[in-house]
Amino acid sequence: MASYGGLGIFGAAMSMSTSDNPRESQVNSFFGINGLETLDGGFRGRITQVRGVLYGESAGLLASAEGTFRSYNDGVPRMLIDNLGTVWLNVRLLRFQPVGRVRQSADGTFFRAYEAQFLHLT
């Protein structure tokens, strides 16, 4: 089960994808010499995109679930376990955004889609 900081904050119907940021590099050219020289500047982390649905038995419980997610946007890196069970250390929440309106299912559950973005520092 996916988690962030040891807590399953992601709700239902959640998907994650992690991509590498481009490596830092310096490109040099020299007058009178054909071609380019590149110097590797190192790895610049990864980005994990998350989409899911948060829900609650009441509007207040849905708001609480969204508030819990938002509370992790504090700049503190934590452990992220993705939906494949991969453990990522030193991951910081960059953005949490509810998407669309709050809806209510036939059984009375309140729910809303969201998107989130995490930055892998190492």
Side-chain angles (χ1 to χ4, degrees), residues 69-96:
F69 208 122
R70 280 191 172 97
S71 74
Y72 283 97
N73 195 359
D74 58 5
V76 176
R78 295 176 173 86
M79 179 175 62
L80 172 68
I81 300 177
D82 68 19
N83 54 344
L84 297 175
T86 304
V87 176
W88 305 95
L89 302 176
N90 298 316
V91 178
R92 191 172 62 115
L93 175 62
L94 287 181
R95 183 176 67 86
F96 170 74

PDB file of all heavy atoms in Angstrom, residues 69-96:
ATOM      1  N   PHE A  69      -3.598  15.734   3.928  1.00  0.00           N
ATOM      2  CA  PHE A  69      -2.682  15.734   2.789  1.00  0.00           C
ATOM      3  C   PHE A  69      -1.930  17.055   2.735  1.00  0.00           C
ATOM      4  O   PHE A  69      -0.704  17.089   2.613  1.00  0.00           O
ATOM      5  CB  PHE A  69      -3.466  15.504   1.494  1.00  0.00           C
ATOM      6  CG  PHE A  69      -2.671  14.837   0.405  1.00  0.00           C
ATOM      7  CD1 PHE A  69      -3.094  13.645  -0.129  1.00  0.00           C
ATOM      8  CD2 PHE A  69      -1.514  15.406  -0.098  1.00  0.00           C
ATOM      9  CE1 PHE A  69      -2.382  13.024  -1.140  1.00  0.00           C
ATOM     10  CE2 PHE A  69      -0.788  14.799  -1.105  1.00  0.00           C
ATOM     11  CZ  PHE A  69      -1.227  13.609  -1.632  1.00  0.00           C
ATOM     12  N   ARG A  70      -2.662  18.161   2.865  1.00  0.00           N
ATOM     13  CA  ARG A  70      -2.039  19.494   2.814  1.00  0.00           C
ATOM     14  C   ARG A  70      -1.013  19.695   3.932  1.00  0.00           C
ATOM     15  O   ARG A  70      -0.041  20.425   3.765  1.00  0.00           O
ATOM     16  CB  ARG A  70      -3.108  20.576   2.932  1.00  0.00           C
ATOM     17  CG  ARG A  70      -3.843  20.854   1.678  1.00  0.00           C
ATOM     18  CD  ARG A  70      -4.685  22.126   1.823  1.00  0.00           C
ATOM     19  NE  ARG A  70      -5.242  22.467   0.533  1.00  0.00           N
ATOM     20  CZ  ARG A  70      -6.467  22.139   0.145  1.00  0.00           C
ATOM     21  NH1 ARG A  70      -7.271  21.484   0.959  1.00  0.00           N
ATOM     22  NH2 ARG A  70      -6.906  22.470  -1.050  1.00  0.00           N
ATOM     23  N   SER A  71      -1.230  19.083   5.072  1.00  0.00           N
ATOM     24  CA  SER A  71      -0.326  19.284   6.205  1.00  0.00           C
ATOM     25  C   SER A  71       1.087  18.788   5.917  1.00  0.00           C
ATOM     26  O   SER A  71       2.031  19.210   6.576  1.00  0.00           O
ATOM     27  CB  SER A  71      -0.880  18.592   7.457  1.00  0.00           C
ATOM     28  OG  SER A  71      -0.737  17.188   7.377  1.00  0.00           O
ATOM     29  N   TYR A  72       1.229  17.915   4.934  1.00  0.00           N
ATOM     30  CA  TYR A  72       2.559  17.422   4.576  1.00  0.00           C
ATOM     31  C   TYR A  72       3.320  18.380   3.663  1.00  0.00           C
ATOM     32  O   TYR A  72       4.477  18.149   3.346  1.00  0.00           O
ATOM     33  CB  TYR A  72       2.452  16.036   3.920  1.00  0.00           C
ATOM     34  CG  TYR A  72       2.202  14.950   4.934  1.00  0.00           C
ATOM     35  CD1 TYR A  72       0.924  14.497   5.186  1.00  0.00           C
ATOM     36  CD2 TYR A  72       3.253  14.402   5.645  1.00  0.00           C
ATOM     37  CE1 TYR A  72       0.690  13.508   6.126  1.00  0.00           C
ATOM     38  CE2 TYR A  72       3.036  13.415   6.589  1.00  0.00           C
ATOM     39  CZ  TYR A  72       1.754  12.977   6.821  1.00  0.00           C
ATOM     40  OH  TYR A  72       1.536  11.998   7.756  1.00  0.00           O
ATOM     41  N   ASN A  73       2.702  19.462   3.249  1.00  0.00           N
ATOM     42  CA  ASN A  73       3.392  20.470   2.442  1.00  0.00           C
ATOM     43  C   ASN A  73       4.113  21.446   3.371  1.00  0.00           C
ATOM     44  O   ASN A  73       3.805  22.636   3.436  1.00  0.00           O
ATOM     45  CB  ASN A  73       2.408  21.206   1.537  1.00  0.00           C
ATOM     46  CG  ASN A  73       3.115  21.975   0.448  1.00  0.00           C
ATOM     47  OD1 ASN A  73       4.337  21.984   0.380  1.00  0.00           O
ATOM     48  ND2 ASN A  73       2.345  22.627  -0.392  1.00  0.00           N
ATOM     49  N   ASP A  74       5.078  20.909   4.115  1.00  0.00           N
ATOM     50  CA  ASP A  74       5.802  21.676   5.125  1.00  0.00           C
ATOM     51  C   ASP A  74       7.308  21.741   4.862  1.00  0.00           C
ATOM     52  O   ASP A  74       8.062  22.201   5.710  1.00  0.00           O
ATOM     53  CB  ASP A  74       5.535  21.097   6.514  1.00  0.00           C
ATOM     54  CG  ASP A  74       5.919  19.635   6.632  1.00  0.00           C
ATOM     55  OD1 ASP A  74       6.484  19.064   5.660  1.00  0.00           O
ATOM     56  OD2 ASP A  74       5.652  19.038   7.687  1.00  0.00           O
ATOM     57  N   GLY A  75       7.736  21.259   3.688  1.00  0.00           N
ATOM     58  CA  GLY A  75       9.156  21.314   3.347  1.00  0.00           C
ATOM     59  C   GLY A  75       9.995  20.203   3.934  1.00  0.00           C
ATOM     60  O   GLY A  75      11.192  20.156   3.679  1.00  0.00           O
ATOM     61  N   VAL A  76       9.405  19.321   4.712  1.00  0.00           N
ATOM     62  CA  VAL A  76      10.157  18.236   5.350  1.00  0.00           C
ATOM     63  C   VAL A  76      10.174  17.014   4.427  1.00  0.00           C
ATOM     64  O   VAL A  76       9.114  16.534   4.025  1.00  0.00           O
ATOM     65  CB  VAL A  76       9.526  17.856   6.707  1.00  0.00           C
ATOM     66  CG1 VAL A  76      10.237  16.669   7.329  1.00  0.00           C
ATOM     67  CG2 VAL A  76       9.530  19.039   7.641  1.00  0.00           C
ATOM     68  N   PRO A  77      11.366  16.517   4.056  1.00  0.00           N
ATOM     69  CA  PRO A  77      11.412  15.306   3.237  1.00  0.00           C
ATOM     70  C   PRO A  77      11.070  14.068   4.070  1.00  0.00           C
ATOM     71  O   PRO A  77      11.463  13.965   5.232  1.00  0.00           O
ATOM     72  CB  PRO A  77      12.849  15.260   2.730  1.00  0.00           C
ATOM     73  CG  PRO A  77      13.635  16.128   3.628  1.00  0.00           C
ATOM     74  CD  PRO A  77      12.692  17.091   4.270  1.00  0.00           C
ATOM     75  N   ARG A  78      10.315  13.164   3.453  1.00  0.00           N
ATOM     76  CA  ARG A  78       9.879  11.934   4.123  1.00  0.00           C
ATOM     77  C   ARG A  78      10.040  10.754   3.171  1.00  0.00           C
ATOM     78  O   ARG A  78      10.321  10.937   1.993  1.00  0.00           O
ATOM     79  CB  ARG A  78       8.415  12.054   4.529  1.00  0.00           C
ATOM     80  CG  ARG A  78       8.149  13.121   5.558  1.00  0.00           C
ATOM     81  CD  ARG A  78       6.646  13.248   5.833  1.00  0.00           C
ATOM     82  NE  ARG A  78       6.389  14.147   6.937  1.00  0.00           N
ATOM     83  CZ  ARG A  78       6.278  15.455   6.832  1.00  0.00           C
ATOM     84  NH1 ARG A  78       6.396  16.034   5.667  1.00  0.00           N
ATOM     85  NH2 ARG A  78       6.044  16.206   7.891  1.00  0.00           N
ATOM     86  N   MET A  79       9.781   9.570   3.690  1.00  0.00           N
ATOM     87  CA  MET A  79       9.816   8.366   2.881  1.00  0.00           C
ATOM     88  C   MET A  79       8.498   8.220   2.123  1.00  0.00           C
ATOM     89  O   MET A  79       7.421   8.342   2.700  1.00  0.00           O
ATOM     90  CB  MET A  79      10.047   7.137   3.765  1.00  0.00           C
ATOM     91  CG  MET A  79      10.080   5.837   2.987  1.00  0.00           C
ATOM     92  SD  MET A  79      10.498   4.410   4.007  1.00  0.00           S
ATOM     93  CE  MET A  79       9.137   4.405   5.161  1.00  0.00           C
ATOM     94  N   LEU A  80       8.602   7.959   0.819  1.00  0.00           N
ATOM     95  CA  LEU A  80       7.448   7.697  -0.033  1.00  0.00           C
ATOM     96  C   LEU A  80       7.518   6.246  -0.485  1.00  0.00           C
ATOM     97  O   LEU A  80       8.558   5.791  -0.974  1.00  0.00           O
ATOM     98  CB  LEU A  80       7.480   8.615  -1.258  1.00  0.00           C
ATOM     99  CG  LEU A  80       6.452   8.346  -2.359  1.00  0.00           C
ATOM    100  CD1 LEU A  80       5.042   8.676  -1.868  1.00  0.00           C
ATOM    101  CD2 LEU A  80       6.786   9.127  -3.612  1.00  0.00           C
ATOM    102  N   ILE A  81       6.442   5.521  -0.287  1.00  0.00           N
ATOM    103  CA  ILE A  81       6.329   4.168  -0.835  1.00  0.00           C
ATOM    104  C   ILE A  81       5.275   4.254  -1.924  1.00  0.00           C
ATOM    105  O   ILE A  81       4.130   4.626  -1.669  1.00  0.00           O
ATOM    106  CB  ILE A  81       5.937   3.139   0.238  1.00  0.00           C
ATOM    107  CG1 ILE A  81       6.995   3.120   1.342  1.00  0.00           C
ATOM    108  CG2 ILE A  81       5.773   1.753  -0.389  1.00  0.00           C
ATOM    109  CD1 ILE A  81       6.674   2.204   2.495  1.00  0.00           C
ATOM    110  N   ASP A  82       5.679   3.934  -3.164  1.00  0.00           N
ATOM    111  CA  ASP A  82       4.750   4.089  -4.280  1.00  0.00           C
ATOM    112  C   ASP A  82       3.816   2.890  -4.402  1.00  0.00           C
ATOM    113  O   ASP A  82       3.903   1.932  -3.629  1.00  0.00           O
ATOM    114  CB  ASP A  82       5.493   4.408  -5.585  1.00  0.00           C
ATOM    115  CG  ASP A  82       6.341   3.265  -6.102  1.00  0.00           C
ATOM    116  OD1 ASP A  82       6.130   2.100  -5.713  1.00  0.00           O
ATOM    117  OD2 ASP A  82       7.226   3.546  -6.932  1.00  0.00           O
ATOM    118  N   ASN A  83       2.934   2.934  -5.387  1.00  0.00           N
ATOM    119  CA  ASN A  83       1.928   1.882  -5.522  1.00  0.00           C
ATOM    120  C   ASN A  83       2.501   0.560  -6.011  1.00  0.00           C
ATOM    121  O   ASN A  83       1.799  -0.441  -6.023  1.00  0.00           O
ATOM    122  CB  ASN A  83       0.771   2.353  -6.419  1.00  0.00           C
ATOM    123  CG  ASN A  83       1.235   2.865  -7.760  1.00  0.00           C
ATOM    124  OD1 ASN A  83       2.402   3.153  -7.968  1.00  0.00           O
ATOM    125  ND2 ASN A  83       0.309   2.999  -8.675  1.00  0.00           N
ATOM    126  N   LEU A  84       3.789   0.510  -6.375  1.00  0.00           N
ATOM    127  CA  LEU A  84       4.460  -0.742  -6.699  1.00  0.00           C
ATOM    128  C   LEU A  84       5.273  -1.275  -5.526  1.00  0.00           C
ATOM    129  O   LEU A  84       5.912  -2.310  -5.631  1.00  0.00           O
ATOM    130  CB  LEU A  84       5.373  -0.562  -7.919  1.00  0.00           C
ATOM    131  CG  LEU A  84       4.670  -0.194  -9.226  1.00  0.00           C
ATOM    132  CD1 LEU A  84       5.693   0.066 -10.323  1.00  0.00           C
ATOM    133  CD2 LEU A  84       3.705  -1.293  -9.630  1.00  0.00           C
ATOM    134  N   GLY A  85       5.285  -0.534  -4.425  1.00  0.00           N
ATOM    135  CA  GLY A  85       6.039  -0.940  -3.247  1.00  0.00           C
ATOM    136  C   GLY A  85       7.473  -0.459  -3.221  1.00  0.00           C
ATOM    137  O   GLY A  85       8.234  -0.815  -2.328  1.00  0.00           O
ATOM    138  N   THR A  86       7.863   0.372  -4.183  1.00  0.00           N
ATOM    139  CA  THR A  86       9.217   0.927  -4.206  1.00  0.00           C
ATOM    140  C   THR A  86       9.347   1.975  -3.113  1.00  0.00           C
ATOM    141  O   THR A  86       8.486   2.846  -2.971  1.00  0.00           O
ATOM    142  CB  THR A  86       9.533   1.561  -5.575  1.00  0.00           C
ATOM    143  OG1 THR A  86       9.331   0.581  -6.592  1.00  0.00           O
ATOM    144  CG2 THR A  86      10.963   2.077  -5.633  1.00  0.00           C
ATOM    145  N   VAL A  87      10.431   1.890  -2.346  1.00  0.00           N
ATOM    146  CA  VAL A  87      10.689   2.832  -1.255  1.00  0.00           C
ATOM    147  C   VAL A  87      11.608   3.930  -1.768  1.00  0.00           C
ATOM    148  O   VAL A  87      12.689   3.656  -2.299  1.00  0.00           O
ATOM    149  CB  VAL A  87      11.331   2.120  -0.046  1.00  0.00           C
ATOM    150  CG1 VAL A  87      11.697   3.116   1.044  1.00  0.00           C
ATOM    151  CG2 VAL A  87      10.398   1.040   0.487  1.00  0.00           C
ATOM    152  N   TRP A  88      11.184   5.161  -1.618  1.00  0.00           N
ATOM    153  CA  TRP A  88      11.964   6.337  -2.004  1.00  0.00           C
ATOM    154  C   TRP A  88      12.213   7.160  -0.748  1.00  0.00           C
ATOM    155  O   TRP A  88      11.283   7.526  -0.048  1.00  0.00           O
ATOM    156  CB  TRP A  88      11.206   7.189  -3.011  1.00  0.00           C
ATOM    157  CG  TRP A  88      10.755   6.479  -4.251  1.00  0.00           C
ATOM    158  CD1 TRP A  88       9.529   5.923  -4.469  1.00  0.00           C
ATOM    159  CD2 TRP A  88      11.502   6.264  -5.440  1.00  0.00           C
ATOM    160  NE1 TRP A  88       9.474   5.382  -5.723  1.00  0.00           N
ATOM    161  CE2 TRP A  88      10.676   5.571  -6.347  1.00  0.00           C
ATOM    162  CE3 TRP A  88      12.806   6.585  -5.836  1.00  0.00           C
ATOM    163  CZ2 TRP A  88      11.098   5.206  -7.618  1.00  0.00           C
ATOM    164  CZ3 TRP A  88      13.220   6.224  -7.109  1.00  0.00           C
ATOM    165  CH2 TRP A  88      12.372   5.543  -7.981  1.00  0.00           C
ATOM    166  N   LEU A  89      13.466   7.455  -0.465  1.00  0.00           N
ATOM    167  CA  LEU A  89      13.832   8.264   0.704  1.00  0.00           C
ATOM    168  C   LEU A  89      13.988   9.724   0.299  1.00  0.00           C
ATOM    169  O   LEU A  89      14.248  10.041  -0.865  1.00  0.00           O
ATOM    170  CB  LEU A  89      15.127   7.745   1.311  1.00  0.00           C
ATOM    171  CG  LEU A  89      15.104   6.278   1.755  1.00  0.00           C
ATOM    172  CD1 LEU A  89      16.474   5.851   2.253  1.00  0.00           C
ATOM    173  CD2 LEU A  89      14.043   6.040   2.801  1.00  0.00           C
ATOM    174  N   ASN A  90      13.853  10.626   1.243  1.00  0.00           N
ATOM    175  CA  ASN A  90      14.074  12.066   1.035  1.00  0.00           C
ATOM    176  C   ASN A  90      13.187  12.637  -0.064  1.00  0.00           C
ATOM    177  O   ASN A  90      13.667  13.209  -1.043  1.00  0.00           O
ATOM    178  CB  ASN A  90      15.550  12.360   0.736  1.00  0.00           C
ATOM    179  CG  ASN A  90      16.441  11.973   1.879  1.00  0.00           C
ATOM    180  OD1 ASN A  90      16.131  12.256   3.021  1.00  0.00           O
ATOM    181  ND2 ASN A  90      17.529  11.298   1.575  1.00  0.00           N
ATOM    182  N   VAL A  91      11.886  12.487   0.114  1.00  0.00           N
ATOM    183  CA  VAL A  91      10.906  12.972  -0.852  1.00  0.00           C
ATOM    184  C   VAL A  91      10.061  14.054  -0.187  1.00  0.00           C
ATOM    185  O   VAL A  91       9.584  13.881   0.929  1.00  0.00           O
ATOM    186  CB  VAL A  91      10.012  11.811  -1.355  1.00  0.00           C
ATOM    187  CG1 VAL A  91       8.971  12.321  -2.325  1.00  0.00           C
ATOM    188  CG2 VAL A  91      10.867  10.728  -1.981  1.00  0.00           C
ATOM    189  N   ARG A  92       9.875  15.153  -0.897  1.00  0.00           N
ATOM    190  CA  ARG A  92       9.156  16.300  -0.353  1.00  0.00           C
ATOM    191  C   ARG A  92       7.906  16.573  -1.182  1.00  0.00           C
ATOM    192  O   ARG A  92       7.950  16.561  -2.414  1.00  0.00           O
ATOM    193  CB  ARG A  92      10.081  17.514  -0.388  1.00  0.00           C
ATOM    194  CG  ARG A  92       9.578  18.708   0.371  1.00  0.00           C
ATOM    195  CD  ARG A  92      10.640  19.771   0.427  1.00  0.00           C
ATOM    196  NE  ARG A  92      10.982  20.248  -0.898  1.00  0.00           N
ATOM    197  CZ  ARG A  92      10.762  21.492  -1.329  1.00  0.00           C
ATOM    198  NH1 ARG A  92      10.242  22.384  -0.537  1.00  0.00           N
ATOM    199  NH2 ARG A  92      11.097  21.840  -2.547  1.00  0.00           N
ATOM    200  N   LEU A  93       6.791  16.834  -0.521  1.00  0.00           N
ATOM    201  CA  LEU A  93       5.568  17.210  -1.224  1.00  0.00           C
ATOM    202  C   LEU A  93       5.729  18.623  -1.787  1.00  0.00           C
ATOM    203  O   LEU A  93       6.051  19.559  -1.053  1.00  0.00           O
ATOM    204  CB  LEU A  93       4.363  17.162  -0.280  1.00  0.00           C
ATOM    205  CG  LEU A  93       3.027  17.640  -0.847  1.00  0.00           C
ATOM    206  CD1 LEU A  93       2.584  16.789  -2.027  1.00  0.00           C
ATOM    207  CD2 LEU A  93       1.956  17.643   0.236  1.00  0.00           C
ATOM    208  N   LEU A  94       5.529  18.762  -3.093  1.00  0.00           N
ATOM    209  CA  LEU A  94       5.617  20.076  -3.738  1.00  0.00           C
ATOM    210  C   LEU A  94       4.257  20.730  -3.903  1.00  0.00           C
ATOM    211  O   LEU A  94       4.121  21.945  -3.762  1.00  0.00           O
ATOM    212  CB  LEU A  94       6.232  19.948  -5.138  1.00  0.00           C
ATOM    213  CG  LEU A  94       7.707  19.668  -5.250  1.00  0.00           C
ATOM    214  CD1 LEU A  94       8.106  19.594  -6.713  1.00  0.00           C
ATOM    215  CD2 LEU A  94       8.520  20.723  -4.531  1.00  0.00           C
ATOM    216  N   ARG A  95       3.230  19.922  -4.248  1.00  0.00           N
ATOM    217  CA  ARG A  95       1.953  20.508  -4.605  1.00  0.00           C
ATOM    218  C   ARG A  95       0.837  19.511  -4.349  1.00  0.00           C
ATOM    219  O   ARG A  95       0.964  18.328  -4.630  1.00  0.00           O
ATOM    220  CB  ARG A  95       1.968  20.866  -6.092  1.00  0.00           C
ATOM    221  CG  ARG A  95       0.745  21.557  -6.604  1.00  0.00           C
ATOM    222  CD  ARG A  95       0.898  21.955  -8.063  1.00  0.00           C
ATOM    223  NE  ARG A  95       0.973  20.813  -8.953  1.00  0.00           N
ATOM    224  CZ  ARG A  95      -0.086  20.195  -9.466  1.00  0.00           C
ATOM    225  NH1 ARG A  95      -1.296  20.602  -9.177  1.00  0.00           N
ATOM    226  NH2 ARG A  95       0.059  19.178 -10.275  1.00  0.00           N
ATOM    227  N   PHE A  96      -0.253  19.987  -3.783  1.00  0.00           N
ATOM    228  CA  PHE A  96      -1.484  19.221  -3.636  1.00  0.00           C
ATOM    229  C   PHE A  96      -2.608  20.078  -4.188  1.00  0.00           C
ATOM    230  O   PHE A  96      -2.745  21.242  -3.823  1.00  0.00           O
ATOM    231  CB  PHE A  96      -1.761  18.889  -2.163  1.00  0.00           C
ATOM    232  CG  PHE A  96      -3.128  18.310  -1.945  1.00  0.00           C
ATOM    233  CD1 PHE A  96      -3.411  17.008  -2.311  1.00  0.00           C
ATOM    234  CD2 PHE A  96      -4.138  19.070  -1.401  1.00  0.00           C
ATOM    235  CE1 PHE A  96      -4.677  16.473  -2.135  1.00  0.00           C
ATOM    236  CE2 PHE A  96      -5.410  18.558  -1.204  1.00  0.00           C
ATOM    237  CZ  PHE A  96      -5.678  17.247  -1.583  1.00  0.00           C
TER     238      PHE A  96
END
